[in-house]
């Protein structure tokens, strides 16, 4: 049995995630493919686009092979507030590993992490973050990291919603992925987050298999142990940052063709939307606008996470669709599950 | 219309390639899925493997999501003799570009290329090759390079077989790809060759879409021109060499799970086969052995192209299947087409 199947079998929240997946499948087959969406211009622009590219008699028809859609993850498919989920993982890992590293008590940025001083961590800047990433994401095999992620994401809870992070995904967007797939689209995630932090759970949660997940990565090396068993070793060194102009570069590198639809929420997605919507023929660019202070968090121009400024300024001129979470979504998260 | 569809429409050898594709499809549906294969242990080991991983009641059953097969390209799917096809492309490009570079007449390795001195080119080593790659593969947009490849591959002819290189593919292997696809496999090409040199034609010739092609790559940059049109610019700098231990690294990076079947022909594929066949559960490792001096070229241990030494030594111990081109294949290349 290959790794991913093992992953899912060992995944203690499988049942939980399965409920989301099953619900989504049922929804996609029902009369309304987007039941968590209010009727409005955002929903309509998405549906019209899909109709025009899938109808064979349409002048905008696109063959199945070219129906590629790309989605950002943090803030587009799941919550990125009050901090990126992967940062919560990093902080938890530092705390878990601290007993083996007594020197961290006196060494920044570890000292600040152990003290829970988020401001000091932020002040440590990129150098500090790289040190944290190296210590928590490198120095083990790919299989070991896979298990670490699976165990963490099963146990961790969102600080505000008090539910697993995999239940802090946006229900309307999960429906949207299923709707696109039902219409012959191949859906990719193109995230600034670490690719190996996402792959263990995206198939179960979003219906997106590991090979359709693109993200930031660290360098790896192929090694054969003394037992003759080959492993992929994760090195404490950044390979690629999949953000901003890195997104179209990664799309070209991995997919090798220009997608026809792109979904994001911040200026980190600007170039991806620009690249996708500049192609010839009908294209769709969509930004999730976090304007729902009551059900989620309202943030855009001034936010230090997921800042959306240029995207807001240029959306109209570029004919990009803005999703108002407040107006366009009936519900934000999946319904509470029995363990809530 | 997105890039790949345009590619195919502009492709002047489309009709030609179409014939291969149609023939293959018909074959896959007929009683014998591998009509160009002689009955023997190689064919049988492949068919038995596929039966065991696809039959639901089998203890070796693998779900569709995990049925990933990886194929080397040069020497495994198409001819790599008397030189790698991409090297023929490089030499042609240098000759085509020479009028714009009068300095090349006196400058190595260009001087040797223009003089047709293959030995001197080889003597220029890796540094010389990098200079040739930079001059012929960098300094243009991804779209421009795409068109250069399409035009070249439509016009170029194999020096010995006097037919397009896309007709110098191994018919039994094209049948094998179709057979695996018909059995729920996702087939990837994992080649030491340049990824953008393969992507423009692999869908038409092998039935493998651009996003399932992994190869060596050069660095690229995202740029927005004065006209507001974004492009991917190819830089004259190597990004990644997808050979030897680089193959499992690239498989892990792009696919994110361990394939269950691997096909190669040289020691450049050794680590890929080792990685794939070391996974848990039933695995298939296959090496194409070039032992047919009459219909192709007989080469293995001493060859400077596609050397197969360690693979031959360890195939039995590792339970890898050796394909004898001479004994196992009824025919090597597709039937001659009307333009032959």
């Amino acid at each position: 049995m290959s790794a991913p199947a093992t992953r899912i079998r060992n995944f203690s929240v499988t049942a939980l995630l399965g409920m989301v997946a099953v619900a989504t499948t049922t929804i996609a087959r029902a009369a309304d493919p987007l039941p968590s969406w209010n009727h409005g211009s955002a929903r309509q622009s998405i549906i019209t686009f899909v109709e025009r590219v899938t109808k064979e008699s349409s002048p905008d028809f696109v063959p199945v092979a070219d129906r590629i859609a790309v989605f950002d993850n943090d803030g587009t498919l799941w919550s990125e507030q009050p901090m990126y989920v992967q940062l919560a993982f990093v902080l938890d890992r530092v705390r878990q590993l601290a007993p083996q590293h007594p020197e961290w008590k006196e060494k920044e940025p570890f000292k600040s992490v152990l003290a829970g001083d988020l401001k000091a961590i932020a002040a440590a800047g990129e150098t500090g973050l790289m040190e944290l990433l190296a210590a928590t994401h490198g120095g083990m095999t790919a299989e070991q990291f896979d298990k670490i992620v699976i165990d963490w994401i099963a146990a961790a809870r969102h600080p505000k919603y008090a539910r697993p992070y995999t239940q802090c995904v946006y229900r309307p967007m999960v429906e949207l992925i299923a709707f696109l797939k039902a219409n012959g689209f191949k859906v990719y995630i193109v995230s600034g987050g670490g690719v190996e932090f996402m792959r263990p759970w995206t198939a179960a949660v979003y219906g997106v298999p590991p090979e359709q997940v693109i993200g930031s990565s660290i360098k790896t090396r192929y090694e054969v142990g003394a037992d003759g068993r080959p492993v992929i070793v994760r090195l404490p060194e950044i390979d690629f940052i999949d953000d901003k102009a890195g997104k179209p570069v990664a799309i070209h590198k991995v997919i090798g063709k220009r997608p026809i639809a792109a979904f994001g929420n911040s200026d980190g997605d600007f170039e991806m939307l620009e690249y996708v919507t500049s192609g010839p023929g009908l294209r769709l660019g969509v930004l999730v606008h976090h304007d729902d202070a009551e059900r989620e968090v309202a943030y855009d121009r001034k936010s230090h996470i997921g800042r959306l400024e240029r995207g807001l300024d240029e959306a109209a001129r570029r004919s990009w669709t803005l999703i108002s979470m407040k107006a366009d979504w009936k519900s934000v998260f999946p319904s509470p599950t029995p363990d809530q």
Side-chain angles (χ1 to χ4, degrees), chain A residues 281-292:
Chain A
L282 194 67
R283 305 289 172 132
L284 180 68
V286 179
L287 286 169
V288 174
H289 187 197
H290 293 264
D291 59 0
D292 193 331

PDB file of all heavy atoms in Angstrom, chain A residues 281-292:
ATOM      1  N   GLY A 281      -8.968  34.187 -24.555  1.00  0.00           N
ATOM      2  CA  GLY A 281     -10.237  33.502 -24.283  1.00  0.00           C
ATOM      3  C   GLY A 281     -10.835  33.935 -22.957  1.00  0.00           C
ATOM      4  O   GLY A 281     -10.312  34.819 -22.272  1.00  0.00           O
ATOM      5  N   LEU A 282     -11.950  33.307 -22.613  1.00  0.00           N
ATOM      6  CA  LEU A 282     -12.660  33.667 -21.390  1.00  0.00           C
ATOM      7  C   LEU A 282     -11.901  33.190 -20.154  1.00  0.00           C
ATOM      8  O   LEU A 282     -11.486  32.028 -20.092  1.00  0.00           O
ATOM      9  CB  LEU A 282     -14.068  33.042 -21.418  1.00  0.00           C
ATOM     10  CG  LEU A 282     -15.064  33.572 -20.393  1.00  0.00           C
ATOM     11  CD1 LEU A 282     -15.416  35.020 -20.668  1.00  0.00           C
ATOM     12  CD2 LEU A 282     -16.325  32.709 -20.391  1.00  0.00           C
ATOM     13  N   ARG A 283     -11.738  34.073 -19.197  1.00  0.00           N
ATOM     14  CA  ARG A 283     -11.011  33.753 -17.967  1.00  0.00           C
ATOM     15  C   ARG A 283     -11.807  34.238 -16.769  1.00  0.00           C
ATOM     16  O   ARG A 283     -12.577  35.177 -16.884  1.00  0.00           O
ATOM     17  CB  ARG A 283      -9.637  34.451 -17.956  1.00  0.00           C
ATOM     18  CG  ARG A 283      -8.782  34.148 -19.172  1.00  0.00           C
ATOM     19  CD  ARG A 283      -8.305  32.719 -19.126  1.00  0.00           C
ATOM     20  NE  ARG A 283      -7.630  32.312 -20.347  1.00  0.00           N
ATOM     21  CZ  ARG A 283      -6.470  31.682 -20.388  1.00  0.00           C
ATOM     22  NH1 ARG A 283      -5.850  31.394 -19.264  1.00  0.00           N
ATOM     23  NH2 ARG A 283      -5.954  31.305 -21.527  1.00  0.00           N
ATOM     24  N   LEU A 284     -11.540  33.611 -15.627  1.00  0.00           N
ATOM     25  CA  LEU A 284     -12.223  34.013 -14.404  1.00  0.00           C
ATOM     26  C   LEU A 284     -11.203  34.293 -13.297  1.00  0.00           C
ATOM     27  O   LEU A 284     -10.364  33.444 -12.994  1.00  0.00           O
ATOM     28  CB  LEU A 284     -13.179  32.896 -13.942  1.00  0.00           C
ATOM     29  CG  LEU A 284     -13.980  33.157 -12.665  1.00  0.00           C
ATOM     30  CD1 LEU A 284     -15.005  34.273 -12.878  1.00  0.00           C
ATOM     31  CD2 LEU A 284     -14.689  31.884 -12.189  1.00  0.00           C
ATOM     32  N   GLY A 285     -11.296  35.490 -12.726  1.00  0.00           N
ATOM     33  CA  GLY A 285     -10.469  35.841 -11.577  1.00  0.00           C
ATOM     34  C   GLY A 285     -11.388  36.211 -10.420  1.00  0.00           C
ATOM     35  O   GLY A 285     -12.304  37.014 -10.595  1.00  0.00           O
ATOM     36  N   VAL A 286     -11.152  35.621  -9.258  1.00  0.00           N
ATOM     37  CA  VAL A 286     -12.056  35.821  -8.124  1.00  0.00           C
ATOM     38  C   VAL A 286     -11.258  36.101  -6.850  1.00  0.00           C
ATOM     39  O   VAL A 286     -10.265  35.422  -6.572  1.00  0.00           O
ATOM     40  CB  VAL A 286     -12.951  34.573  -7.896  1.00  0.00           C
ATOM     41  CG1 VAL A 286     -13.878  34.788  -6.701  1.00  0.00           C
ATOM     42  CG2 VAL A 286     -13.760  34.239  -9.153  1.00  0.00           C
ATOM     43  N   LEU A 287     -11.707  37.099  -6.097  1.00  0.00           N
ATOM     44  CA  LEU A 287     -11.090  37.399  -4.797  1.00  0.00           C
ATOM     45  C   LEU A 287     -12.128  37.263  -3.695  1.00  0.00           C
ATOM     46  O   LEU A 287     -13.226  37.830  -3.791  1.00  0.00           O
ATOM     47  CB  LEU A 287     -10.537  38.834  -4.793  1.00  0.00           C
ATOM     48  CG  LEU A 287      -9.253  39.068  -5.597  1.00  0.00           C
ATOM     49  CD1 LEU A 287      -8.985  40.567  -5.733  1.00  0.00           C
ATOM     50  CD2 LEU A 287      -8.065  38.360  -4.945  1.00  0.00           C
ATOM     51  N   VAL A 288     -11.779  36.493  -2.668  1.00  0.00           N
ATOM     52  CA  VAL A 288     -12.628  36.397  -1.483  1.00  0.00           C
ATOM     53  C   VAL A 288     -12.336  37.630  -0.621  1.00  0.00           C
ATOM     54  O   VAL A 288     -11.188  37.849  -0.221  1.00  0.00           O
ATOM     55  CB  VAL A 288     -12.308  35.117  -0.676  1.00  0.00           C
ATOM     56  CG1 VAL A 288     -13.089  35.098   0.628  1.00  0.00           C
ATOM     57  CG2 VAL A 288     -12.592  33.874  -1.522  1.00  0.00           C
ATOM     58  N   HIS A 289     -13.354  38.431  -0.367  1.00  0.00           N
ATOM     59  CA  HIS A 289     -13.179  39.632   0.444  1.00  0.00           C
ATOM     60  C   HIS A 289     -13.688  39.364   1.864  1.00  0.00           C
ATOM     61  O   HIS A 289     -14.866  39.053   2.066  1.00  0.00           O
ATOM     62  CB  HIS A 289     -13.952  40.806  -0.202  1.00  0.00           C
ATOM     63  CG  HIS A 289     -13.691  42.112   0.466  1.00  0.00           C
ATOM     64  ND1 HIS A 289     -14.499  43.211   0.307  1.00  0.00           N
ATOM     65  CD2 HIS A 289     -12.688  42.504   1.295  1.00  0.00           C
ATOM     66  CE1 HIS A 289     -14.027  44.217   1.014  1.00  0.00           C
ATOM     67  NE2 HIS A 289     -12.926  43.822   1.623  1.00  0.00           N
ATOM     68  N   HIS A 290     -12.763  39.466   2.804  1.00  0.00           N
ATOM     69  CA  HIS A 290     -13.100  39.183   4.204  1.00  0.00           C
ATOM     70  C   HIS A 290     -13.777  40.390   4.846  1.00  0.00           C
ATOM     71  O   HIS A 290     -13.119  41.202   5.491  1.00  0.00           O
ATOM     72  CB  HIS A 290     -11.846  38.779   4.982  1.00  0.00           C
ATOM     73  CG  HIS A 290     -11.281  37.466   4.550  1.00  0.00           C
ATOM     74  ND1 HIS A 290     -11.561  36.282   5.186  1.00  0.00           N
ATOM     75  CD2 HIS A 290     -10.501  37.136   3.499  1.00  0.00           C
ATOM     76  CE1 HIS A 290     -10.961  35.281   4.569  1.00  0.00           C
ATOM     77  NE2 HIS A 290     -10.306  35.772   3.535  1.00  0.00           N
ATOM     78  N   ASP A 291     -15.090  40.471   4.664  1.00  0.00           N
ATOM     79  CA  ASP A 291     -15.831  41.646   5.162  1.00  0.00           C
ATOM     80  C   ASP A 291     -16.888  41.236   6.187  1.00  0.00           C
ATOM     81  O   ASP A 291     -17.821  41.981   6.445  1.00  0.00           O
ATOM     82  CB  ASP A 291     -16.488  42.374   3.980  1.00  0.00           C
ATOM     83  CG  ASP A 291     -17.449  41.476   3.194  1.00  0.00           C
ATOM     84  OD1 ASP A 291     -17.602  40.294   3.574  1.00  0.00           O
ATOM     85  OD2 ASP A 291     -18.040  41.950   2.214  1.00  0.00           O
ATOM     86  N   ASP A 292     -16.708  40.048   6.771  1.00  0.00           N
ATOM     87  CA  ASP A 292     -17.728  39.527   7.674  1.00  0.00           C
ATOM     88  C   ASP A 292     -17.196  39.469   9.104  1.00  0.00           C
ATOM     89  O   ASP A 292     -16.692  38.447   9.568  1.00  0.00           O
ATOM     90  CB  ASP A 292     -18.147  38.126   7.195  1.00  0.00           C
ATOM     91  CG  ASP A 292     -19.413  37.640   7.890  1.00  0.00           C
ATOM     92  OD1 ASP A 292     -19.651  38.060   9.047  1.00  0.00           O
ATOM     93  OD2 ASP A 292     -20.143  36.845   7.284  1.00  0.00           O
TER      94      ASP A 292
END
